[in-house]
Amino acid sequence: MAELSSLFHGFAVALSGYNIVLMFVGIVLGVLIGVLPGLGGANGVAILLPLTFTMPPTSAIIMLSCIYWGALFGGAITSILFNIPGEPWSVATTFDGYPMAQQGQAGEALTAAFTGSFVGAFVAVLMITFLAPLVAKFALQFGPPEFFAVYMLTFFSFVGMGKGSPFKTLAAMMLGFALAAVGLDTVTGQLRLTFGSTELMRGFDFLVAVIGLFGVGEILLTMEEGLAFRGQSARINPAVVLETWKKLPRYWMTILRSCVIGCWMGITPGGATPASFMAYGVAKRTSRNGEKFGTGQLEGVVAPETGAHAAGTSALLPMLALGIPGSPTAAVLLGGLIMWGLQPGPLLFVEQKDFVWGLIASMYLGNIAGLIVVLTSVPLFAAILRIPFSIIAPLIIVVCAIGAYTVHGAMLDVWLMLLFGVVGYVFKKLNYPLAPMVLALVLGDKAEDAFRQSMLFSQGSLSIFWSNWLVGSIATLAIVMLFWPLLSAAIRKIRSGRIEAFEQERE
């Protein structure tokens, strides 16, 4: 088992004193981000990315991934105690978590949520450990047509499987492609869309864009909403934890189903939010106490948290093995890897073994650290919500500005960050998704290079994307994903028509 040997080597890398400290710092920062409604894992990683510039890449990615785990854990605290989801994927947790808190069972609900999260993430990391090297080995056979087909599948999957309007997804993606095209053409060496500005020769920096879009945009939105928090208090002690752990094995099938749903939604670009709702819905439908869901059922807390964490963690598999992010946070982490000079994809498992296996080992350790931190410090983090947002917001804006300035030491980046912040605010007000835009900004130039190289090989013929079974099947699947909203609407119409015809026959 070469994977186990590599994993043990990864534990040796991750278990250095420096990395363990960064792991706990990342978890604490992540939980802080998670309990502040609206900030979210992607926003937190984007804002804090500049802090890691001076670190070795392995330590930096360990800290950032732990921020992500912490944010995943932290979202449950506000959902259960305050009925305010700290993260979009925690919305389903409020359905049964907050009623439990009102009934004086907040400690039990929090323990179930954290334990479910831990199990979901653990199963997803197991999958990454044994599946990612196989996917990467397979992907080593890829050439430019195969890579372009995979990029196309990723872009079109956001259109086909996104929860919002496909037209808005396409519009956001097109804007991302336009921004990615600014600067130097890597194939011909020509300047594009710089309009004579020397500052724009290097293009729009990914980090400046995500800090503005995610960080500043969310702060503007939160300031407009004027948040005020009033919630339940909670104390978690060993007796409550042990008593809850005794009850959880009876929900083993719900947990297993939620893990499968989460892993699938994480690998595809479905993401943690649809996974949490789907896991909750399936649990409600299949449970003996399904009709009681929404009144404070432990099973209704475990299912969405397990699904969300499995999805959030497994989203890193396509990022590591193929260089394709499965979630907005994975897209931000992908940009960080590129900034550190690492190229995510199949060669990463060959050229950067210490980095890859150190990261995978840190996922195991980070989740254990996260579980310990949240179980021991819930009242502390809940107290942070009582600090006025008028004090927290300016601090976050200052951190964002410092982060943007440190990218190139240029004031223009700070102004661009604010501009992207306004764009992010408008996007959120109009319900345009940010993730497709960020994805296009990160991968747009790579997809363009792969497409142009493919066209050079085939002398301009698009048939190269159906030249063998591998690239042909990926390209065909991508086309199906693009038109999936139309296909699914047509299927629904045919089905409803048949049901109506059947009912008319019965009458």
Side-chain angles (χ1 to χ4, degrees):
M1 296 292 281
E3 286 81 10
L4 282 178
S5 171
S6 301
L7 182 61
F8 287 133
H9 178 67
F11 276 115
V13 174
L15 278 173
S16 73
Y18 181 60
N19 286 340
I20 289 174
V21 171
L22 289 180
M23 213 176 284
F24 276 95
V25 170
I27 290 290
V28 172
L29 288 174
V31 178
L32 272 173
I33 288 165
V35 298
L36 290 174
L39 261 190
N43 305 339
V45 172
I47 291 169
L48 298 175
L49 194 58
L51 293 179
T52 63
F53 281 177
T54 56
M55 298 177 189
T58 308
S59 303
I61 195 71
I62 285 174
M63 181 173 169
L64 289 176
S65 58
C66 283
I67 291 172
Y68 184 35
W69 314 140
L72 285 169
F73 277 112
I77 297 175
T78 50
S79 300
I80 291 170
L81 297 185
F82 294 84
N83 203 24
I84 300 172
E87 308 288 349
W89 54 77
S90 298
V91 173
T93 310
T94 61
F95 299 160
D96 280 274
Y98 188 62
M100 284 186 74
Q102 287 179 309
Q103 295 161 19
Q105 298 174 311
E108 196 174 336
L110 286 166
T111 304
F114 298 150
T115 310
S117 302
F118 172 78
V119 174
F122 186 77
V123 170
V125 179
L126 275 178
M127 185 189 67
I128 291 174
T129 304
F130 294 102
L131 204 58
L134 296 178
V135 175
K137 197 178 290 183
F138 180 66
L140 280 173
Q141 303 168 13
F142 282 17
E146 284 81 6
F147 271 113
F148 178 73
V150 171
Y151 289 133
M152 194 164 62
L153 176 61
T154 308
F155 293 133
F156 290 166
S157 293
F158 271 86
V159 179
M161 301 190 70
K163 56 184 177 181
S165 161
F167 297 106
K168 289 184 175 179
T169 304
L170 278 172
M173 209 174 277
M174 292 304 114
L175 184 56
F177 284 133
L179 292 172
V182 176
L184 195 67
D185 183 340
T186 54
V187 176
T188 63
Q190 298 290 316
L191 291 176
R192 299 188 300 196
L193 302 172
T194 57
F195 304 105
S197 168
T198 52
E199 297 275 2
L200 289 178
M201 283 175 63
R202 60 172 180 257
F204 288 103
D205 195 280
F206 154 80
L207 184 58
V208 174
V210 293
I211 290 176
L213 289 169
F214 286 102
V216 178
E218 197 62 50
I219 292 294
L220 292 175
L221 201 66
T222 311
M223 285 167 66
E224 182 192 18
E225 291 170 353
L227 284 177
F229 309 115
R230 287 179 185 173
Q232 309 294 322
S233 59
R235 285 182 182 274
I236 293 185
N237 55 51
V240 172
V241 173
L242 291 174
E243 194 60 36
T244 309
W245 282 354
K246 281 182 188 172
K247 295 179 184 174
L248 288 181
R250 71 180 68 159
Y251 306 123
W252 66 273
M253 184 52 85
T254 299
I255 293 172
L256 185 63
R257 264 196 302 261
S258 301
C259 286
V260 173
I261 291 169
C263 288
W264 171 248
M265 296 301 286
I267 294 173
T268 61
T273 307
S276 64
F277 279 102
M278 197 179 291
Y280 183 85
V282 172
K284 185 178 179 180
R285 193 174 298 172
T286 56
S287 172
R288 291 178 184 172
N289 300 316
E291 73 283 357
K292 295 180 182 174
F293 270 44
T295 60
Q297 293 296 307
L298 201 61
E299 196 175 359
V301 176
V302 173
E305 285 295 315
T306 307
H309 267 233
T313 308
S314 58
L316 299 182
L317 189 152
M319 184 200 81
L320 287 172
L322 298 173
I324 307 290
S327 70
T329 310
V332 178
L333 288 173
L334 177 79
L337 293 184
I338 294 171
M339 291 185 71
W340 296 315
L342 300 171
Q343 182 58 52
L347 285 175
L348 200 64
F349 282 80
V350 179
E351 297 172 350
Q352 301 288 342
K353 284 187 176 179
D354 283 359
F355 170 81
V356 171
W357 289 104
L359 170 62
I360 293 175
S362 77
M363 293 181 189
Y364 289 96
L365 300 171
N367 273 295
I368 295 171
L371 187 65
I372 294 170
V373 168
V374 290
L375 282 177
T376 54
S377 53
V378 165
L380 177 67
F381 287 114
I384 290 165
L385 280 173
R386 293 181 173 86
I387 300 174
F389 195 73
S390 56
I391 295 174
I392 295 174
L395 290 175
I396 296 173
I397 294 285
V398 170
V399 172
C400 289
I402 292 171
Y405 183 79
T406 52
V407 177
H408 298 292
M411 198 58 201
L412 177 67
D413 286 339
V414 179
W415 297 118
L416 284 175
M417 177 204 74
L418 293 173
L419 181 63
F420 278 116
V422 174
V423 172
Y425 169 77
V426 173
F427 264 50
K428 285 169 184 171
K429 290 293 287 183
L430 299 177
N431 287 325
Y432 277 78
L434 286 176
M437 181 178 165
V438 172
L439 188 74
L441 184 57
V442 175
L443 294 180
D445 55 345
K446 298 183 188 308
E448 183 191 350
D449 290 350
F451 178 76
R452 291 167 73 176
Q453 286 168 4
S454 303
M455 289 297 98
L456 287 173
F457 289 153
S458 67
Q459 298 184 334
S461 172
L462 290 173
S463 62
I464 194 171
F465 298 117
W466 283 270
S467 58
N468 60 60
W469 70 269
L470 177 61
V471 66
S473 55
I474 300 173
T476 305
L477 185 59
I479 301 294
V480 170
M481 280 291 120
L482 177 63
F483 292 104
W484 183 248
L486 292 175
L487 291 173
S488 58
I491 292 169
R492 279 199 302 273
K493 195 169 183 180
I494 291 170
R495 280 183 180 171
S496 62
R498 284 180 179 172
I499 292 170
E500 284 177 9
F502 179 71
E503 288 176 348
Q504 285 174 357
E505 283 179 9
R506 289 183 62 186
E507 290 170 2

